[in-house]
Amino acid sequence: MAEHPEKPRWIDLARKELKDKPVESLEKQTPEGITTHPLYTAENLEGIDFVNSLPGISPFVRGPRATMYTVRPWTIRQYAGFSTARESNEFYKRNLAAGQKGLSVAFDLATHRGYDSDHPRVIGDVGKAGVPVDTVEDMKILFDEIPLDKMTVSMTMNGAVLPVMAAYIVAAEEQGVDQEKLAGTIQNDILKEYLTRNTYIYPPDPSMRIVSDIIGYCSKHMPKFNTVSISGYHMMEAGADSVLQTAFTLADGLEYVRAALNAGLEIDAFAPRLSFFFGVGMNFFMEIAMLRAARYLWADLMDQFNPQDPRSKMLRTHVQTSGWSLTQQDPYNNIIRTTLECLAAVLGGTQSLHTNAFDEAVSLPTDVSARIARNTQLIVQEESRVTNTVDPLGGSYYVEWLTDQIVKEVRKVINEVEEMGGMAKAIVEGMPKMRIEEAAARRQARIDQGIDPVIGVNKYPVEEETEVDVREISDSVRDEQINWVNRIREERDDAEVRRCLEALTQCAESGGNLLEACIKAIRARATVGDVTEAMEKVFGRYVATTQCISGVYAGEYQDDEIIKTIRKRVDDFAEKHGRRPRILLTKMGQDGHDRGVKVVATAYADLGFDVDLSPMFQTPAEAAKMAVENDVHVVGVSSLAGAHKILVPQMIEELKKQGGEDVLVVVGGIVPPVDYDFLYNAGVAKVFGPGSMVTDSANQVLNALEQNA
């Protein structure tokens, strides 16, 4: 295609406006390694094979449905759950009455990890970041007066997917709804747990069997239900850029397809019920192009399996706006961020959407913030007129070119994964996790330097912090839940429960469909913990190797003087005290989100600290023991799930018991400002909320050490 005839004239005009600087100075490098240009014309689309494609027709770049939102808008599906099942049920019913169209259930971390609420390892986690489900009775309360034959339900569950899915099926059964009428999605995406979120239970091989068993059971008995939601969202939250999110998500999808085929299923029997889950952040056009590229690539990848049903090649996705982009500082800015991310998801062609509440940088959303988040979607859907046209950005020179660039970059990563033998083997070798952690460290270094602006944090900061109301979950929720589950244990037929659990263990050992066996156990009122332990006898519980990268944060830091100054302070400390400052970074409780603690570990090591990184899921006693044994100066606790008021004071007491009373304790992560004084009174030296710069925190830690010397 010939160059646009007016292009030379445009270059002359641009140079004049740039005062004779080259036009190339306007080029930008994205985190994905894509160089964007200041102007795009038809010539940039030469050779792109999908430019003239249409929605509803493979490769589905312009959308999986021919009419898209002109006939049926995306589903407003707000992810929520907290406190007790009864309180969550009331919250769901209020949201449905106010315009929400589908349910998306957030389970608490104890449930995710297969523990009952009375287990000693979950003392700080019950009801804090989701709703606890110990038995089918909790599930029945959760959906009380919500007709499951008419409501689509999405459940974000992976580790304890079998007992949770079984409880949903039995709850519907006891509501009078047959399985074949149930519609919705179970995430059932265990591979991404080993990459980012870490709420796994069993090792990879038996976990992949669980995925296959659920696909097989639902393909036979629940034709309306999506059996896997292949998730890139948590990869984005862990630091993945758009290329890495797309590549690793699609590679996970390929692994599930092959697992189902190896289990004897036909491609068209299950592929139409696969769905995806992407995260969308603040790089507006990149996010739009990412969703378009993902649809194109999935259709292309599925061709190798020779499907006859066109739906088998159709990528349908739920999207959630970014939680990581939300800031504690100047928090009402988050409403604008979420609105932009919402619009990007819509222009990218999502099938359903969750918009985060502005206060989620510090706590679970309040009723007010949840209403604003939901209304963001309603306003975009009903007032903006973006639903009047199918794919309104189709044909945009920039968007089509950017889509093609993502396709090319993603293919490189997928080919690399395939050469390693597929995603499961790549995960074992650590490649995807390392790439994501490197991207997160680079991003943090750019923010700390102000290269990537975050309004209210590293640019235009406010002098006075804005206080917002926060939702706090009472510690009494755990006591209430323990009393409830004990009552169910007392009333159930123990002999029948034992028989069902023994059959489940036998099924895990000798073969059979695990979901089918779980349904029988849950029907008998076995708990989530009972079911998990019955399979754990055969599968074991997976323990990941904890490690961190080095050199990436400092390598991205362009202002070397800041790095040199901190390293000089570290050297001075070592000269005075005979060794470098040593810090143990730990996560306690069952929260598996480790982006923050990994970035801090990487950065502090680059700044000269000796850094120990604890295993995941520590108890306060275990963290204190490691701190004392490693003779650290500081323990840094990463907290994201509301358990800090229970676990941090317990750890401080354990340090005193074990001879570590001189060890400083600092806390970082999702901590509401109203809790800072509580933590300080408990003995915490410093609290670093969301948006804290790593270099600033390192200086403050060094100050505290000098004062403590």
Side-chain angles (χ1 to χ4, degrees), residues 419-434 547:
E419 287 171 6
M420 298 176 77
M423 195 60 169
K425 290 183 179 178
I427 287 171
V428 170
E429 293 189 28
M431 183 274 273
K433 192 173 185 69
M434 195 67 71
Q547 57 186 11

Side-chain angles (χ1 to χ4, degrees), residues 98-254:
Q100 184 175 312
K101 303 300 183 185
L103 292 179
S104 184
V105 182
F107 297 97
D108 75 354
L109 292 165
T111 305
H112 273 286
R113 295 270 292 148
Y115 294 116
D116 290 333
S117 296
D118 57 353
H119 197 284
R121 298 198 76 87
V122 301
I123 189 169
D125 295 307
V126 177
K128 294 289 186 182
V131 60
V133 170
D134 291 309
T135 73
V136 66
E137 295 297 336
D138 292 308
M139 196 70 84
K140 287 170 67 178
I141 294 169
L142 192 63
F143 296 118
D144 185 40
E145 297 182 351
I146 297 173
L148 293 178
D149 55 344
K150 296 180 174 64
M151 180 61 59
T152 60
V153 176
S154 173
M155 293 180 286
T156 301
M157 178 54 63
N158 301 289
V161 63
L162 284 169
V164 166
M165 186 70 180
Y168 170 70
I169 290 168
V170 175
E173 174 186 291
E174 297 186 8
Q175 196 185 85
V177 178
D178 293 332
Q179 294 179 28
E180 62 266 21
K181 294 181 180 177
L182 295 175
T185 304
I186 186 76
Q187 191 163 95
N188 195 26
D189 175 11
I190 197 62
L191 289 176
K192 74 101 166 61
E193 298 297 335
Y194 302 111
L195 279 177
T196 55
R197 194 161 174 252
N198 298 307
T199 51
Y200 42 70
I201 298 175
Y202 311 113
D205 284 346
S207 294
M208 287 300 290
R209 176 190 164 187
I210 289 168
V211 173
S212 297
D213 280 3
I214 290 172
I215 292 172
Y217 183 93
C218 294
S219 296
K220 184 177 180 181
H221 300 287
M222 301 169 64
K224 296 181 178 181
F225 210 85
N226 299 322
T227 50
V228 181
S229 176
I230 305 151
S231 174
Y233 174 80
H234 298 97
M235 298 180 200
M236 178 196 74
E237 291 292 272
D241 58 43
S242 294
V243 165
L244 292 178
Q245 180 184 180
T246 306
F248 294 146
T249 303
L250 298 184
D252 278 353
L254 275 180

Side-chain angles (χ1 to χ4, degrees), residues 161 308 465 481 575:
V161 63
Q308 301 305 300
E465 289 293 333
Q481 194 68 19
E575 186 175 343

Side-chain angles (χ1 to χ4, degrees), residues 332-353:
Y332 292 108
N333 290 345
N334 295 333
I335 298 173
I336 300 136
R337 293 186 177 104
T338 296
T339 303
L340 283 168
E341 292 167 352
C342 166
L343 189 57
V346 168
L347 294 175
T350 187
Q351 279 59 70
S352 67
L353 179 60

Side-chain angles (χ1 to χ4, degrees), residues 364-531:
L364 288 169
T366 63
D367 282 359
V368 170
S369 67
R371 186 177 74 244
I372 293 169
R374 182 188 62 250
N375 287 351
T376 300
Q377 291 197 54
L378 288 171
I379 290 166
V380 170
Q381 194 172 95
E382 300 190 23
E383 294 188 27
S384 72
R385 307 296 194 270
V386 295
T387 60
N388 289 359
T389 303
V390 179
D391 188 27
L393 289 182
S396 158
Y397 298 140
Y398 179 46
V399 171
E400 300 287 14
W401 176 88
L402 194 54
T403 301
D404 185 57
Q405 294 298 303
I406 295 175
V407 166
K408 290 173 180 174
E409 294 302 315
V410 168
R411 274 187 170 141
K412 293 176 188 176
V413 180
I414 290 178
N415 289 340
E416 190 177 348
V417 170
E418 290 290 280
E419 287 171 6
M420 298 176 77
M423 195 60 169
K425 290 183 179 178
I427 287 171
V428 170
E429 293 189 28
M431 183 274 273
K433 192 173 185 69
M434 195 67 71
R435 293 280 178 84
I436 292 171
E437 290 176 3
E438 287 172 354
R442 284 194 296 269
R443 171 80 163 141
Q444 187 63 50
R446 291 175 64 85
I447 290 172
D448 286 354
Q449 297 172 85
I451 297 170
D452 291 349
V454 182
I455 305 306
V457 176
N458 63 9
K459 201 167 187 180
Y460 313 117
V462 292
E463 293 183 5
E464 293 185 11
E465 289 293 333
T466 303
E467 290 190 14
V468 296
D469 292 334
V470 298
R471 183 189 294 276
E472 183 167 1
I473 305 302
S474 170
D475 295 339
S476 66
V477 168
R478 182 170 185 262
D479 295 333
E480 182 180 339
Q481 194 68 19
I482 289 172
N483 291 336
W484 174 234
V485 73
N486 283 336
R487 176 180 160 189
I488 293 164
R489 289 183 183 127
E490 290 170 1
E491 295 175 353
R492 69 189 186 180
D493 183 339
D494 283 338
E496 176 64 10
V497 171
R498 281 196 303 274
R499 187 189 69 77
C500 291
L501 292 173
E502 288 167 4
L504 176 57
T505 300
Q506 184 66 33
C507 180
E509 191 168 34
S510 305
N513 190 284
L514 288 165
L515 179 54
E516 191 171 340
C518 280
I519 290 170
K520 293 175 183 176
I522 291 293
R523 193 180 284 133
R525 270 42 184 181
T527 67
V528 167
D530 293 335
V531 168

